[in-house]
Amino acid sequence: MDSGDDRKDGGPGGVFHSFFLLAMELPLHPDCRVLKAERGLIAVDKAAGVLSHPNRAVDQAKSLLGVPYDAEREVYIAGENSWFLLNRLDSPTSGVILLSSDLALATAVRVAFASGGVEKTYIALVKGIPRRPRERWQDFLRVERSGGKLRTRVSRGAPNAVTRMEVLQRGRGVPARSLLQLSPETGRTHQLRAQCAARSLPILGDANYGDFATNRELKRRLSAERLFLHSHKTQVELRLDSGNFRFVATSPIPSIFSVALE
């Protein structure tokens, strides 16, 4: 785990080291781990199936942190410590998710997310192969609620969702499969899943937008079930009172992606 500037000496380094120790005591879900802790910002490696935050009291055991969550302030509260949730991943999606113990820093990072100032890189394993090795997808996405569930559809209208796509690797055999790098420039609900599906490139394991027959066969072959979408890298650059702050966190691509690709 990368502790960033954390050191055991006195002065600022001692402060960073204290924060590092505090981060390591996070009441994380047992399937999650700390990737990096630096200057009040923490990157956590969220496992597939874990909730970014509880939707109901009964969801607490399935959530990122095993402590009460204030939905209005978007913060987990662990005794005297508060951990602000800075971004969300759908429950089936794994990878980098950010927390902060500092309200001012949390506010700055949230503004960066909202304004497109955070670089995000996802890895997706999809059915099919894109026509070109690199593309820039631009769509108008409409979010609908049906039966208490959200669903995002590509509709007519000025683009409000933009994603850069690059093919990393092609699979062997049938059905045709490819490993994609997806870099969203916007942050819409189910954006990557909906954009992939709209191009006949459904993400494997997607229970909402995917190819269900392929998903069933994949589950049978792998004896495992998950959405093959992973938040691989998140990079934040901020200008703070103390100077420029650059935070980069990377989560390794789960090995099951390679197994499913081959």
Side-chain angles (χ1 to χ4, degrees):
M1 195 213 76
D2 182 357
S3 61
D5 286 341
D6 301 300
R7 299 188 300 273
K8 295 185 178 180
D9 55 356
V15 173
F16 297 149
H17 180 63
S18 297
F19 174 68
F20 169 70
L21 293 178
L22 181 63
M24 294 306 295
E25 295 176 356
L26 269 176
L28 281 173
H29 186 283
D31 294 335
C32 302
R33 66 189 180 99
V34 173
L35 289 168
K36 183 172 184 175
E38 184 179 349
R39 299 188 186 182
L41 194 58
I42 297 175
V44 171
D45 197 359
K46 187 186 85 66
V50 173
L51 298 170
S52 295
H53 61 79
N55 298 315
R56 305 179 302 272
V58 294
D59 289 336
Q60 190 66 66
K62 303 177 183 177
S63 299
L64 191 67
L65 299 185
V67 294
Y69 180 75
D70 184 332
E72 183 175 348
R73 297 171 56 214
E74 298 178 306
V75 60
Y76 282 98
I77 301 172
E80 297 180 355
N81 300 315
S82 296
W83 302 99
F84 296 91
L85 182 65
L86 305 185
N87 67 308
R88 297 174 180 80
L89 296 176
D90 294 337
S91 171
T93 305
S94 57
V96 181
I97 194 166
L98 301 184
L99 298 165
S100 178
S101 60
D102 180 85
L103 176 58
L105 179 59
T107 301
V109 175
R110 284 172 175 171
V111 169
F113 268 108
S115 62
V118 178
E119 292 185 22
K120 298 163 288 182
T121 303
Y122 289 77
I123 301 298
L125 181 57
V126 303
K127 178 183 178 183
I129 299 174
R131 290 175 295 175
R132 291 177 291 273
R134 293 179 180 82
E135 294 177 340
R136 190 168 184 263
W137 297 344
Q138 300 183 77
D139 298 296
F140 175 72
L141 299 185
R142 184 187 305 278
V143 179
E144 303 171 349
R145 184 178 292 275
S146 177
K149 295 183 178 181
L150 294 177
R151 185 171 181 86
T152 298
R153 301 184 186 278
V154 174
S155 303
R156 292 183 178 181
N160 62 1
V162 180
T163 299
R164 301 190 309 277
M165 182 281 299
E166 179 179 351
V167 178
L168 298 179
Q169 190 176 349
R170 296 184 179 187
R172 299 176 182 176
V174 292
R177 304 176 305 288
S178 49
L179 191 68
L180 308 183
Q181 177 176 291
L182 302 174
S183 302
E185 298 179 11
T186 54
R188 302 290 173 179
T189 300
H190 296 177
Q191 175 174 320
L192 301 181
R193 298 161 69 182
Q195 286 190 298
C196 283
R199 289 164 174 80
S200 298
L201 298 167
I203 298 176
L204 297 183
D206 193 333
N208 293 329
Y209 306 92
D211 183 299
F212 304 131
T214 299
N215 290 346
R216 286 193 296 270
E217 175 61 17
L218 187 68
K219 179 182 177 181
R220 184 190 67 81
R221 287 171 48 202
L222 297 179
S223 298
E225 184 176 16
R226 67 153 293 160
L227 173 68
F228 283 82
L229 179 63
H230 181 70
S231 176
H232 177 52
K233 181 180 178 181
T234 300
Q235 177 174 313
V236 183
E237 293 195 32
L238 302 172
R239 185 168 182 81
L240 305 175
D241 293 339
S242 58
N244 295 333
F245 176 42
R246 181 172 180 267
F247 184 92
V248 182
T250 303
S251 169
I253 302 172
S255 59
I256 197 170
F257 278 57
S258 297
V259 175
L261 182 66
E262 297 300 321

